Amino acid sequence: MICLTYLVAFLSSIQITSGTVQPTVTLKDGTVLQGVYEEFNSDLLPVYGKIESYYGIPYAEAPVGPLRFKPPVPKKQLDSPLEATKVGRSCMQPDISILGVPLTNEEMSEDCLFLDVIVPKSVTENSHVLVSIHGGGFTMGAGQMSWFHFLTLASYGNIIVVAFNYRLGPFGFLTTAFGGDPNKVTIGGISAGGASAAFHTLSPGSKGLFQYAMIESGSPFDSWVTYRQGEEARLEVRTLAKLIGCRAEDIEDDAKLLNCLMKAPAEDINENIGKSVAEICVKKLKGEIKVLGPKFSVLNSEIQWENLQKVGLTGLPGPSVDGVFLPKNALNILEEGTLNGESYVVGSNAEEGTGYLSIFFPDKEVKPVINNTSLSAIISSGLIGDVPSSIVQKLMKTLYTIDEKDLLNENQEDYFHEISQFLGDLIFFCGSSKFAKLASQSKNVYRYTMTFVPSNNLMGVNWMGATHGCHAQFVFGMPFQEKFLEKFTDKDRDMSRKVMQYWINFMKTGNPNIATDADYLTLPNWPKFKKTDQVYKDLTPDMENRYMKERECYFMDNVFLPLRNAFKEFKKSKIADDEQSKWTEEGQCEGEACHVDEEKAEMTKERLLGIKVGDDRNDVKTLP
């Protein structure tokens, strides 16, 4: 995480003075930045905007050599004048073509800490600012992506937009930057960007640096936002070290291990990060078969390796309770109510889970039929955890089967609806709901769910519905951008216009219902979300208000997650017992050292049989 106060100082020092050929920016230290003039014009929106854009501004020293894995260091004096006319290099990451979304700058490097500032010419000195944190599971993406730009939103809302790169995967994290009036800053993001924005509402170090937060399809309670600690974190690092060629004796010594990782070429780390996570996942799958018996797991060999590397892309990085950025876990901070900012927008999409299904089913045109075999393979892939697939399947059917007659149907041919809703609730929806409920006790919270299905899917997959991240094209005005006009309908454009209006209202006032310009649209009222009144805005062209589903999230939080953690502990104990039995059979040990720890085994049974209802998605509470 970068020092946010440094970025406030950096961006608030900008003074824009327009030139005839190109705009210029003079920093307080005298450094001159030279940008580019751009325009966004749309008769359909309508908006006609002239924009001054500054791309590729270094905001920290290159995190290379001794600075690898270290906190970012503020950038020293920049070259002057600095040509800020091209998007900077992207940070090291896996092949993003997996998502069908190319980077704006496909050149990757560890030297990648650049930011961009988009400034409508009509803004005043004390303009409102959106700091956009990109998504990508902490492993992929960049501040500027080729499938959308910020010109539409900046022009329509007359706001400054700041976007930036941050280190990804094993290279580390950075999560925000600021500009314009420091008292008029909104931070926001989608997926990992949304989770990052949420973490800044919790961090003491971010106090006073923003007013509002937009937390979209990501939260501290999502199952993919891992809190890596202890042996689990060490296993991930050691697996990566082995794959990049560190010596076995060095891997067992922390100082030597760090030295090996510091010297390794960035390309080697980048190439092997997905493989390391996939290897851990495969070991987990083998462990499941060994411990719980083959009847619990049916694996598809084609899925097992190739796609686990893709699934594994979101498996390694994640935040940690470091005592600095996060002094304690998210639940404790939320319960205490010591949050930053005044108001939040929190939301997710109705079919978040289909994004994960697309990993297993590459056909972009034909909606997959998910039978028992493929369902078991998906459940066993590591996405859901350590609960045996047969148990997950029964729980899933009980909660998500639409027609009760199908509950007793042992020959059900298609589980698409059940597994996509299960994954969406587990991985995104219920975590966002939990965050919103807790935050609403001390802050103004506005909750949304998008059920509208866009005419255009960002990944080019036609069967995904209102899936993960697809609302971004409405937030950033893609239906009005010239190169995408034919991909969208007038209904899409109506939707985008309304979504942008709500977002702009919120960024300027902290309330999506209050417009600051008489020419803006009049929209249906968006009520506050409260723990005792869980009303949300259904993002469709009609913009109706509805009430949250509670049964599914109660089940996830109080039944499934404790059950999953109990099985995880059981598996660890069983594997250890099997190893001891193996040593005994091979005559490798004698006496008490070979005996199974009966007390430990008994405690594990109690955890499985006596799960106590609790609220913490990160802590399993069991009966004594």
Side-chain angles (χ1 to χ4, degrees):
M1 302 293 178
I2 195 169
C3 176
L4 304 186
T5 53
Y6 162 67
L7 284 171
V8 171
F10 177 80
L11 288 170
S12 62
S13 71
I14 291 176
Q15 296 177 337
I16 298 174
T17 56
S18 299
T20 56
V21 179
Q22 63 184 143
T24 62
V25 165
T26 302
L27 303 182
K28 288 183 178 178
D29 65 2
T31 301
V32 175
L33 309 182
Q34 297 177 334
V36 293
Y37 285 120
E38 298 185 276
E39 291 186 1
F40 178 77
N41 300 311
S42 171
D43 294 330
L44 296 170
L45 194 48
V47 67
Y48 308 95
K50 292 186 177 181
I51 297 164
E52 300 176 1
S53 300
Y54 302 85
Y55 296 110
I57 305 169
Y59 65 82
E61 291 297 327
V64 299
L67 296 182
R68 178 186 282 181
F69 308 134
K70 300 293 178 64
V73 175
K75 185 69 179 176
K76 297 177 183 177
Q77 184 76 31
L78 295 170
D79 295 335
S80 183
L82 177 71
E83 283 288 320
T85 58
K86 296 181 180 179
V87 174
R89 294 178 293 275
S90 300
C91 292
M92 302 296 291
Q93 58 193 278
D95 183 5
I96 202 169
S97 64
I98 292 168
L99 300 179
V101 183
L103 296 165
T104 300
N105 187 336
E106 295 186 351
E107 180 184 357
M108 292 188 292
S109 171
E110 281 189 273
D111 182 5
C112 63
L113 300 186
F114 302 100
L115 63 83
D116 310 314
V117 186
I118 311 300
V119 187
K121 284 197 69 174
S122 56
V123 301
T124 61
E125 240 180 72
N126 299 316
S127 180
H128 295 271
V129 179
L130 169 64
V131 178
S132 178
I133 310 173
H134 75 77
F138 302 113
T139 61
M140 297 179 287
Q144 294 282 345
M145 299 295 292
S146 63
W147 49 266
F148 73 86
H149 58 64
F150 297 106
L151 304 186
T152 311
L153 185 65
S155 298
Y156 188 55
N158 200 34
I159 59 173
I160 295 173
V161 178
V162 178
F164 59 95
N165 294 346
Y166 56 88
R167 284 177 284 178
L168 300 165
F171 294 99
F173 302 132
L174 149 76
T175 55
T176 195
F178 294 97
D181 188 332
N183 296 314
K184 297 179 181 179
V185 172
T186 298
I187 60 171
I190 299 168
S191 192
S196 296
F199 281 116
H200 279 291
T201 69
L202 306 177
S203 175
S206 300
K207 184 178 181 180
L209 298 180
F210 61 90
Q211 276 186 300
Y212 313 128
M214 310 194 79
I215 300 163
E216 305 167 38
S217 293
S219 85
F221 299 115
D222 292 344
S223 62
W224 53 274
V225 180
T226 55
Y227 294 82
R228 305 186 321 282
Q229 294 178 347
E231 286 304 312
E232 185 175 5
R234 295 172 71 86
L235 173 62
E236 293 170 350
V237 174
R238 287 171 175 171
T239 303
L240 174 62
K242 178 182 177 182
L243 288 171
I244 65 175
C246 294
R247 298 182 305 174
E249 56 268 30
D250 292 346
I251 292 174
E252 298 305 316
D253 182 285
D254 287 350
K256 293 179 179 179
L257 173 60
L258 177 60
N259 185 56
C260 179
L261 292 172
M262 292 288 286
K263 291 182 178 180
E267 293 75 13
D268 287 356
I269 295 176
N270 192 51
E271 180 182 348
N272 285 286
I273 184 62
K275 295 178 181 178
S276 67
V277 178
E279 183 172 313
I280 294 171
C281 288
V282 169
K283 286 181 179 178
K284 287 181 179 179
L285 295 179
K286 291 178 179 177
E288 178 178 299
I289 296 172
K290 179 179 180 182
V291 172
L292 301 171
K295 66 180 180 179
F296 288 113
S297 183
V298 182
L299 300 179
N300 181 317
S301 59
E302 293 181 0
I303 291 175
Q304 177 173 305
W305 181 251
E306 179 181 354
N307 286 317
L308 271 177
Q309 292 187 56
K310 300 175 185 178
V311 176
L313 296 179
T314 59
L316 185 61
S320 61
V321 180
D322 60 359
V324 181
F325 182 76
L326 285 179
K328 56 187 74 173
N329 70 41
L331 181 67
N332 293 146
I333 298 173
L334 281 158
E335 288 179 337
E336 292 171 358
T338 53
L339 308 179
N340 302 319
E342 300 172 11
S343 302
Y344 309 151
V345 163
V346 181
S348 52
N349 297 334
E351 296 171 270
E352 296 274 4
T354 58
Y356 281 88
L357 293 182
S358 66
I359 295 170
F360 298 94
F361 302 98
D363 192 320
K364 296 184 177 183
E365 301 295 329
V366 180
K367 179 180 176 181
V369 174
I370 301 179
N371 57 25
N372 275 295
T373 300
S374 54
L375 177 64
S376 295
I378 293 167
I379 293 171
S380 301
S381 69
L383 279 175
I384 292 175
D386 295 301
V387 182
S389 57
S390 63
I391 295 177
V392 173
Q393 188 169 335
K394 288 181 172 61
L395 292 172
M396 185 182 66
K397 284 188 66 173
T398 301
L399 200 60
Y400 293 97
T401 296
I402 298 174
D403 188 344
E404 292 183 358
K405 295 178 183 178
D406 289 334
L407 288 173
L408 299 178
N409 181 8
E410 297 295 332
N411 299 312
Q412 185 171 337
E413 295 180 354
D414 189 4
Y415 291 93
F416 182 92
H417 169 78
E418 288 87 347
I419 186 61
S420 63
Q421 287 299 303
F422 184 91
L423 287 173
D425 287 350
L426 173 66
I427 299 172
F428 291 104
F429 186 88
C430 291
S432 292
S433 287
K434 181 171 183 175
F435 180 88
K437 283 189 285 187
L438 290 166
S440 70
Q441 297 178 86
S442 58
K443 301 295 179 181
N444 300 317
V445 175
Y446 299 90
R447 183 83 163 90
Y448 75 85
T449 295
M450 190 179 86
T451 61
F452 181 72
V453 178
S455 299
N456 176 61
N457 179 271
L458 293 174
M459 295 170 61
V461 182
N462 294 329
W463 48 265
M464 291 172 70
T467 192
H468 184 60
C470 70
H471 72 292
Q473 52 198 335
F474 299 120
V475 172
F476 295 111
M478 278 182 68
F480 298 100
Q481 296 171 18
E482 187 173 353
K483 66 179 179 179
F484 298 116
L485 285 178
E486 294 183 358
K487 292 181 177 291
F488 294 98
T489 66
D490 288 341
K491 196 170 184 179
D492 291 307
R493 279 181 273 277
D494 181 40
M495 171 76 169
S496 182
R497 187 182 293 108
K498 291 174 179 176
V499 170
M500 282 196 294
Q501 186 65 70
Y502 275 130
W503 261 236
I504 290 165
N505 290 350
F506 178 82
M507 285 185 278
K508 291 187 174 183
T509 69
N511 186 329
N513 301 298
I514 300 176
T516 59
D517 191 315
D519 294 333
Y520 285 162
L521 300 173
T522 299
L523 298 171
N525 183 58
W526 185 344
K528 290 181 184 178
F529 177 91
K530 300 178 181 179
K531 187 175 182 179
T532 55
D533 188 23
Q534 299 183 36
V535 65
Y536 71 92
K537 179 62 64 179
D538 183 7
L539 295 187
T540 71
D542 294 331
M543 295 297 176
E544 296 178 341
N545 299 324
R546 303 186 186 280
Y547 281 88
M548 281 290 165
K549 55 183 180 183
E550 294 191 53
R551 182 185 302 274
E552 294 87 344
C553 291
Y554 180 89
F555 165 80
M556 289 295 177
D557 214 27
N558 296 284
V559 178
F560 183 75
L561 290 172
L563 182 67
R564 182 175 70 176
N565 283 317
F567 266 102
K568 182 177 181 179
E569 290 190 23
F570 171 74
K571 180 189 291 188
K572 288 180 180 177
S573 176
K574 188 67 168 65
I575 291 174
D577 292 347
D578 285 354
E579 288 298 322
Q580 286 182 318
S581 297
K582 178 182 178 181
W583 296 339
T584 304
E585 292 170 4
E586 294 176 355
Q588 295 180 16
C589 64
E590 297 179 356
E592 292 297 323
C594 294
H595 294 166
V596 175
D597 188 336
E598 295 181 2
E599 182 180 351
K600 181 179 178 182
E602 189 61 33
M603 288 174 63
T604 302
K605 291 177 183 177
E606 288 179 2
R607 289 189 178 98
L608 278 173
L609 299 175
I611 299 169
K612 182 179 180 180
V613 172
D615 291 328
D616 191 350
R617 289 172 70 91
N618 304 313
D619 294 323
V620 178
K621 298 178 181 178
T622 58
L623 293 174

